[in-house]
């Protein structure tokens, strides 16, 4: 065990985590030159296109230090706030972390958030200053920021350039020297934490785990502690760029297990693996449950594909443990699922991955957050969907989730950022200047206000400099109303939303204007109305497509024309009574981008 080191790389988005991982893999010769490429651990097409890490990636390296060979298990983590659950799972299975800070941007909000996560798990922190080769690098200024943040000396900070490889070799030695070896009892009953899993259509579920106590061999009878299911370990091994089979995984090491599990529901990330004959007494603790922040409905485009969508979501959940779903039905869209996400980027990525990896095209409804509704009978209801709201006469009061938002920016953008947060019902709780030109603002805000376009607006007004992080602080009473959109007098329940009273008129007006452009014209007028209860607060009309029925009248009395027009009018009236309005998928997506 003393020759094993488990560590992860944590940082804000785009500070060079994946590039640093590339250099570590090169130096340890884990990959041949043919396999090497930029951001080699980001193996999803979507990750390469967007330039962000979406999933944590584990890989084992070997490094010779003072004549001894060490096994280094590295986990590269995402930086975006929407994928923070991936980071928390990686941190739970490590003893140390490389805290990477960009020398051109300095300490950002997610840097601080991930650092606190690592400190809570008692990880050994190695500070790394990256991008020192850039012209805009402020090495001394950012070094001082890191020293203030974690209380280290400037000499303790490793100054590297992940792009050129400068300064990375001493970092490898420091990982061996500073990060402690895993602690555990090799002779105790097997206790291993599952920190990730993937679904392989040929081999079933592949679970990645870290052995805390004991060891596991190929052919052992194992069981999952929380689900109680028993299996035989068909194959065990370690994680190189691809799976590398090995007869035994020892105490403190990281590996994978394939046991022919075909049902996705039998594996839970965070579960404990143990032996059937000599089981451990308790599960490994310290693994937090996922708390989805944003909810949206997902429906198959073709109603007959409902069961297919269920199977796809089961398999997808294995690969993304922060995604949750439950069945629901909608008047407009039929049967589908209510899905929970960690944020809007997460929602977008899930939708894109379902299409690319499973060829599943889905309709997504307007996202909203979860509210607590207190009824006059003294009940407390968790409402994720506007259609689940009780009648207004039965509601005593509604509480909405609040967050503590932390924004770090250049002080030049102090005013516009404050205005943005105040417009979103934010309350300033504290502010302090980290340096003469960098300010940290802390706001209490409703979670529902950051769901729509807050992050995009923040990046726009700060010219990309501001960084943003948040965590839930609890629920507070709010004056909320249910805003319905009526199309041709019928409520389109997929477009309903719960919104603050003060914002209802503006939002309803914008929705009507947007839908007017998106809904195709029919043979009859389509009124688009925004309503709160029975009160209509905004209206637009999609004009009908008309045929010129009087074109054939080239003379004669006006009554001939009027007769034809009246006949057309009757037909339109009848058509409107039986006509239905189809809402295109672009309308649902456009609602998310109301500016």
């Amino acid at each position: 065990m003393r020759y094993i080191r488990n560590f992860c790389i944590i940082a804000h988005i785009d500070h060079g985590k994946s590039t640093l991982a590339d250099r570590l893999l090169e130096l340890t010769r884990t990959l041949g030159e043919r396999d090497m490429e930029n951001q080699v651990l980001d193996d999803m097409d979507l990750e390469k296109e967007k330039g962000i890490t979406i999933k944590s990636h584990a890989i084992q390296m070997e490094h010779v230090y003072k004549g001894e060979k060490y096994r280094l298990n590295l986990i590269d983590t995402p930086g975006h706030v929407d994928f923070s659950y991936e980071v928390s799972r990686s941190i739970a299975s490590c003893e140390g972390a490389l805290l990477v800070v960009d020398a051109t941007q300095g300490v950002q909000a997610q840097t601080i958030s991930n650092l606190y996560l690592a400190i809570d798990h008692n990880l050994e922190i190695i500070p790394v200053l990256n991008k020192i080769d850039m012209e805009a690098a402020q090495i001394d200024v950012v070094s001082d920021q890191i020293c203030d943040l974690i209380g280290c000396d400037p000499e303790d900070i490793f100054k590297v350039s992940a792009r050129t490889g400068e300064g990375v070799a001493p970092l490898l030695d420091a990982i061996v020297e500073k990060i402690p070896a895993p602690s555990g009892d090799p002779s105790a009953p097997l206790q291993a934490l599952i920190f990730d899993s993937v679904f392989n259509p040929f081999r079933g579920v592949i679970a990645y785990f870290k052995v805390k106590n004991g060891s596991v061999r190929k052919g052992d009878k194992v069981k999952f502690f929380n689900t109680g299911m028993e299996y035989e370990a068909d194959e065990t091994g370690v994680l190189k760029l691809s799976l590398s089979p090995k007869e035994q995984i020892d105490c403190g090491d990281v590996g994978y297990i394939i046991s022919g599990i075909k049902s996705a529901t039998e594996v839970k990330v965070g579960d404990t693996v143990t032996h059937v004959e000599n089981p451990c007494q308790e599960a490994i603790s310290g693994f937090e449950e996922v708390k989805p922040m944003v909810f949206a409905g997902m429906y198959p485009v073709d109603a007959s594909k409902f069961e297919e969508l269920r199977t796809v979501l089961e398999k997808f959940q294995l690969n993304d443990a922060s995604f949750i779903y439950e069945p629901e039905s909608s008047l407009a869209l039929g049967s589908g699922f209510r899905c929970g996400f960690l944020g809007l980027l997460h929602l977008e990525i899930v939708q894109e991955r379902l299409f690319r990896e499973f060829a599943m095209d889905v309709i997504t409804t307007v996202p909203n957050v979860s509210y607590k509704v207190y009824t006059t009978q003294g009940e407390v209801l968790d409402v994720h969907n506007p259609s689940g709201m009780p009648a207004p006469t039965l509601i005593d009061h509604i509480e909405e989730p609040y967050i503590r938002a932390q924004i770090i920016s250049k002080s030049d953008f102090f005013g516009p950022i404050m205005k943005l947060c105040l417009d979103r019902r934010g309350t300033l709780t504290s502010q302090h200047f980290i340096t003469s030109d960098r300010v940290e603002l802390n706001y209490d805000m409703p979670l529902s206000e950051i769901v729509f376009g807050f992050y995009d607006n923040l990046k726009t007004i700060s010219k990309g400099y501001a960084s943003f992080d948040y965590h839930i602080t609890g629920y507070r009473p709010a004056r909320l109303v249910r805003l319905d959109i009526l199309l041709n007098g019928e409520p389109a329940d997929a477009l309903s939303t719960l919104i603050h009273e003060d914002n209802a008129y503006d939002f309803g007006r914008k929705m009507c204007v947007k839908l007017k452009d998106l809904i195709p014209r029919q043979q009859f007028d389509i009124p688009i109305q925004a309503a709160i209860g029975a009160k209509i607060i905004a209206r637009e009309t999609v004009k009908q497509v008309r045929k010129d029925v009087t074109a054939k009248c080239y003379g004669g009395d006006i009554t001939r024309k009027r007769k034809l027009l009246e006949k057309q009018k009757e037909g339109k009236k009848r058509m409107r009574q039986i006509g239905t309005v189809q809402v295109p998928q672009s309308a649902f997506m456009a609602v998310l981008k109301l500016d």
Side-chain angles (χ1 to χ4, degrees):
M1 276 171 66
R2 62 196 184 93
Y3 296 116
I4 298 173
R5 298 290 183 272
N6 300 317
F7 69 101
C8 58
I9 304 180
I10 54 176
H12 189 76
I13 191 167
D14 206 24
H15 278 204
K17 295 179 294 300
S18 300
T19 313
L20 179 60
D22 289 354
R23 296 295 83 75
L24 294 174
L25 293 174
E26 266 180 10
L27 281 171
T28 54
R29 294 189 172 83
T30 305
L31 302 179
E33 282 186 24
R34 289 179 62 186
D35 295 328
M36 205 62 213
E37 55 177 311
N38 286 341
Q39 279 91 33
V40 69
L41 293 182
D42 292 351
D43 52 7
M44 235 183 278
D45 291 342
L46 209 54
E47 291 180 314
K48 287 187 164 49
E49 280 171 31
K50 290 185 176 282
I52 58 172
T53 304
I54 294 167
K55 271 205 64 70
S56 296
H57 298 272
I59 193 164
Q60 189 175 91
M61 307 179 288
E62 289 184 347
H63 177 55
V64 178
Y65 176 68
K66 293 185 177 173
E68 303 276 9
K69 189 184 277 188
Y70 287 84
R71 282 206 303 281
L72 311 180
N73 291 310
L74 154 71
I75 303 180
D76 179 29
T77 63
H80 196 282
V81 63
D82 277 15
F83 305 112
S84 55
Y85 187 62
E86 291 280 335
V87 182
S88 72
R89 290 181 5 223
S90 309
I91 284 172
S93 48
C94 290
E95 282 80 40
L98 303 184
L99 181 74
V100 179
V101 180
D102 187 332
T104 62
Q105 296 183 47
V107 171
Q108 304 274 292
Q110 204 61 30
T111 314
I112 297 170
S113 172
N114 289 341
L115 172 67
Y116 288 158
L117 260 178
I119 290 171
D120 286 347
H121 284 80
N122 298 319
L123 264 60
E124 180 66 37
I125 309 291
I126 299 178
V128 180
L129 186 64
N130 190 20
K131 305 190 185 179
I132 56 168
D133 58 317
M134 304 281 277
E135 283 182 20
Q138 302 168 300
I139 295 171
D140 294 339
V141 174
V142 180
S143 296
D144 290 344
Q145 288 176 18
I146 297 172
C147 293
D148 291 346
L149 184 64
I150 59 176
C152 64
D153 295 326
E155 304 83 62
D156 298 339
I157 300 170
F158 287 83
K159 298 176 179 65
V160 305
S161 166
R163 190 163 59 94
T164 62
E166 182 189 341
V168 180
L171 186 58
L172 266 173
D173 296 342
I175 290 167
V176 174
E177 284 173 11
K178 297 194 173 189
I179 293 175
S183 59
D185 183 356
S187 57
L190 172 66
Q191 211 181 17
L193 172 77
I194 297 178
F195 65 87
D196 206 354
S197 58
V198 292
F199 186 82
N200 183 305
F202 304 106
R203 311 201 63 183
V205 177
I206 303 170
Y208 300 162
F209 62 87
K210 181 205 171 186
V211 182
K212 191 177 177 188
N213 292 314
S215 61
V216 60
R217 291 181 68 85
K218 180 182 175 181
D220 282 355
K221 289 265 189 204
V222 295
K223 76 168 182 177
F224 290 3
F225 200 90
N226 290 332
T227 57
M229 306 295 274
E230 298 182 3
Y231 307 98
E232 185 173 319
D234 297 338
E235 182 179 311
T236 55
V238 293
L239 301 156
K240 300 284 188 179
L241 191 58
S242 54
L243 304 178
S244 175
K246 196 177 170 189
E247 281 296 312
Q248 178 167 326
I249 307 296
D250 296 314
C251 185
D253 218 342
V254 172
Y256 70 89
I257 183 168
I258 300 174
S259 45
I261 305 169
K262 289 290 185 281
S263 171
T265 52
E266 292 174 26
V267 178
K268 293 272 186 289
V269 169
D271 203 348
T272 302
V273 183
T274 187
H275 281 130
V276 174
E277 287 164 10
N278 184 17
C280 59
Q281 295 304 307
E282 57 181 21
I284 297 170
S285 61
F287 200 90
E288 62 182 56
E289 275 293 309
V290 60
K291 296 186 213 58
M293 303 298 175
V294 173
F295 294 86
M298 277 195 173
Y299 296 84
V301 174
D302 178 358
S304 64
K305 292 193 173 178
F306 173 72
E307 284 303 324
E308 192 183 323
L309 178 61
R310 185 198 293 274
T311 312
V312 163
L313 292 183
E314 258 183 33
K315 290 175 183 173
F316 181 79
Q317 193 178 31
L318 269 179
N319 211 344
D320 186 348
S322 55
F323 169 77
I324 65 164
Y325 66 94
E326 58 184 38
E328 72 160 7
S329 61
S330 151
L331 291 172
L333 300 167
S335 296
F337 294 92
R338 191 86 195 147
C339 305
F341 308 90
L342 294 181
L344 272 191
L345 177 67
H346 188 207
L347 186 155
E348 201 180 305
I349 295 291
V350 168
Q351 201 172 345
E352 187 68 27
R353 283 183 67 190
L354 287 176
F355 182 67
R356 290 187 186 203
E357 293 171 27
F358 301 98
M360 194 77 210
D361 209 358
V362 292
I363 292 173
T364 312
T365 64
V366 181
N368 53 37
V369 299
S370 173
Y371 298 96
K372 287 194 184 301
V373 178
Y374 291 78
T375 64
T376 48
Q377 276 89 29
E379 294 175 305
V380 182
L381 306 174
D382 273 329
V383 175
H384 307 313
N385 189 347
S387 61
M389 283 280 282
T393 50
L394 299 175
I395 297 172
D396 180 48
H397 68 281
I398 304 174
E399 290 188 351
E400 64 176 336
Y402 261 70
I403 58 161
R404 171 65 51 83
Q406 180 192 44
I407 298 167
I408 297 176
S409 169
K410 284 195 166 183
S411 46
D412 307 2
F413 311 113
F414 187 74
I417 289 172
M418 283 191 79
K419 183 181 183 306
L420 174 68
C421 294
L422 289 171
D423 289 348
R424 301 291 184 119
R425 297 191 284 135
T427 310
L428 184 66
T429 54
S430 67
Q431 67 177 63
H432 76 271
F433 282 84
I434 300 168
T435 61
S436 58
D437 66 337
R438 283 166 60 78
V439 65
E440 180 190 321
L441 301 169
N442 286 299
Y443 274 90
D444 277 346
M445 295 172 76
L447 178 62
S448 56
E449 293 290 341
I450 67 161
V451 168
F452 292 100
F454 177 82
Y455 194 62
D456 291 347
N457 288 352
L458 180 68
K459 284 289 182 192
T460 305
I461 61 177
S462 64
K463 297 182 182 170
Y465 279 106
S467 64
F468 171 66
D469 184 45
Y470 65 88
H471 60 268
I472 292 281
T473 54
Y475 284 77
R476 297 186 194 177
R479 293 181 295 123
L480 297 169
V481 291
R482 176 177 157 180
L483 182 72
D484 289 315
I485 299 296
L486 309 179
L487 299 174
N488 201 15
E490 293 292 321
D493 61 342
L495 292 171
S496 297
T497 159
L498 285 169
I499 193 162
H500 195 265
E501 220 171 69
D502 298 346
N503 302 341
Y505 174 74
D506 285 341
F507 189 75
R509 171 104 237 119
K510 284 178 184 171
M511 285 267 275
C512 290
V513 171
K514 200 91 173 180
L515 287 170
K516 183 186 174 185
D517 297 336
L518 291 164
I519 291 177
R521 291 171 70 187
Q522 310 272 353
Q523 295 281 348
F524 52 93
D525 278 356
I526 304 171
I528 302 168
Q529 298 163 310
I532 297 171
K535 184 181 174 188
I536 305 293
I537 58 169
R539 172 182 169 132
E540 292 288 331
T541 306
V542 179
K543 284 295 178 190
Q544 61 192 4
V545 181
R546 289 189 59 182
K547 180 183 173 187
D548 187 2
V549 289
T550 61
K552 61 188 177 189
C553 293
Y554 46 84
D557 191 15
I558 185 66
T559 53
R560 290 182 64 199
K561 288 189 178 179
R562 193 167 292 146
K563 181 183 167 189
L564 290 168
L565 290 168
E566 287 297 328
K567 190 177 173 187
Q568 184 189 38
K569 193 173 169 185
E570 282 300 314
K572 297 278 186 199
K573 189 176 173 185
R574 194 164 59 251
M575 210 181 282
R576 183 174 168 186
Q577 287 168 352
I578 60 165
T580 56
V581 182
Q582 295 295 320
V583 183
Q585 167 68 2
S586 56
F588 295 112
M589 293 313 293
V591 171
L592 312 187
K593 296 183 170 61
L594 284 177
D595 31 45

